[in-house]
Amino acid sequence: LSSSIKIPLNAATEVKMIGNCYLHGWLNHKFKNLNNDDDILPQSPLYQLTARAYQFSSFILMVGTMDGPHNKFIPKDAIIIQNKDEVLIPLILNDLPSAKEFKDAITSLSPEQQQFAKSFRDMQLESSVFGVCVIQLKPQLEKLLSLLDDSLTKEIELTQNLISLFVDYQIPSNLLSFDGNKEEKSMKIRIDRVKENVKVVMDMIDATKQSELEKEKMKV
């Protein structure tokens, strides 16, 4: 499927994501023992989400739930995966009773309790669709830094430095982005300007580290 998904960042801001969407279905069968009501398998099997990145590649992995009627993805957690990282996320699954099982279970409750149980079940069903969103970092960095498409494809060292500056040092993007003529169509000129900005910031960081190291030596 190719569609757009909205990701709310806060009460007033939403991000519109455009890309390929995939819907996967999974039917989990359980069988009862003929002699008693216990399941044949005493424990449910463990499931996990596995994410891996190739060398010199990077992406953001977000996990959350889908808000179907509004075509929204509600992120719960996110992580940056890069350079042969491997992440194993255990999935804690809760079985929801079928409509018949739920109806039989609430027959002995009072009308008020039945209404509360139905409302709670509706709330569970609304957020029961598990969602995973993968965002490639290089295209987003190119947009953020005012670079042309595919500019960072072969710029491995520059990409690693940019990610480090953004993630480790929280450097504002306006200190690193291309600040020349907006009509400039040369990929090399734009890349060279960003490289200059990155070098200036990294030299400043190195100088700060060296200064702090000298101060510590003086204390000793």
Side-chain angles (χ1 to χ4, degrees):
L1 301 175
S2 181
S3 181
S4 61
I5 299 293
K6 297 177 181 178
I7 301 178
L9 300 181
N10 52 48
T13 307
E14 288 184 346
V15 176
K16 186 177 182 181
M17 304 294 296
I18 300 176
N20 295 328
C21 300
Y22 303 94
L23 178 64
H24 300 275
W26 174 41
L27 185 61
N28 186 23
H29 290 282
K30 283 190 175 181
F31 300 93
K32 298 290 184 179
N33 194 322
L34 296 178
N35 298 324
N36 52 56
D37 293 334
D38 296 332
D39 291 338
I40 294 177
L41 296 176
Q43 294 183 347
S44 299
L46 299 178
Y47 301 96
Q48 62 185 15
L49 174 65
T50 303
R52 300 184 184 91
Y54 291 113
Q55 183 68 43
F56 305 128
S57 66
S58 55
F59 59 89
I60 298 175
L61 175 69
M62 296 191 296
V63 295
T65 56
M66 300 299 300
D67 186 0
H70 303 95
N71 204 31
K72 289 183 179 180
F73 172 74
I74 311 299
K76 302 297 183 181
D77 290 287
I79 185 174
I80 295 177
I81 303 177
Q82 59 178 330
N83 297 334
K84 292 187 177 181
D85 285 344
E86 182 178 36
V87 178
L88 304 177
I89 304 175
L91 300 180
I92 302 175
L93 307 179
N94 295 321
D95 295 335
L96 297 179
S98 65
K100 183 179 183 303
E101 290 174 334
F102 177 76
K103 184 178 180 181
D104 294 340
I106 66 172
T107 51
S108 60
L109 300 178
S110 66
E112 292 80 7
Q113 291 174 326
Q114 289 187 18
Q115 183 60 40
F116 175 80
K118 290 177 181 178
S119 299
F120 186 77
R121 175 177 170 82
D122 291 340
M123 182 182 66
Q124 286 182 311
L125 293 176
E126 285 179 359
S127 61
S128 63
V129 180
F130 178 65
V132 178
C133 181
V134 177
I135 303 176
Q136 298 294 333
L137 280 181
K138 283 186 180 180
Q140 307 308 317
L141 288 175
E142 291 166 354
K143 294 291 184 183
L144 181 64
L145 301 174
S146 300
L147 295 174
L148 302 179
D149 292 345
D150 300 325
S151 295
L152 296 176
T153 300
K154 296 183 179 181
E155 297 292 340
I156 297 174
E157 182 180 1
L158 176 60
T159 302
Q160 298 299 310
N161 290 337
L162 286 168
I163 294 176
S164 175
L165 291 175
F166 284 132
V167 176
D168 299 331
Y169 300 101
Q170 306 293 309
I171 302 298
S173 61
N174 61 335
L175 297 180
L176 304 173
S177 61
F178 174 73
D179 51 2
N181 184 4
K182 295 183 179 180
E183 302 299 324
E184 180 60 60
K185 296 183 179 180
S186 172
M187 180 182 297
K188 185 178 185 304
I189 292 178
R190 287 177 177 262
I191 282 288
D192 289 343
R193 182 57 180 166
V194 171
K195 285 182 178 179
E196 292 176 4
N197 295 338
V198 169
K199 186 178 184 305
V200 169
V201 175
M202 294 192 71
D203 288 346
M204 180 184 63
I205 293 175
D206 291 339
T208 302
K209 288 181 178 179
Q210 187 65 30
S211 176
E212 292 178 353
L213 182 60
E214 292 296 332
K215 289 180 181 180
E216 292 297 326
K217 288 183 179 180
M218 293 294 292
K219 290 181 181 179
V220 175

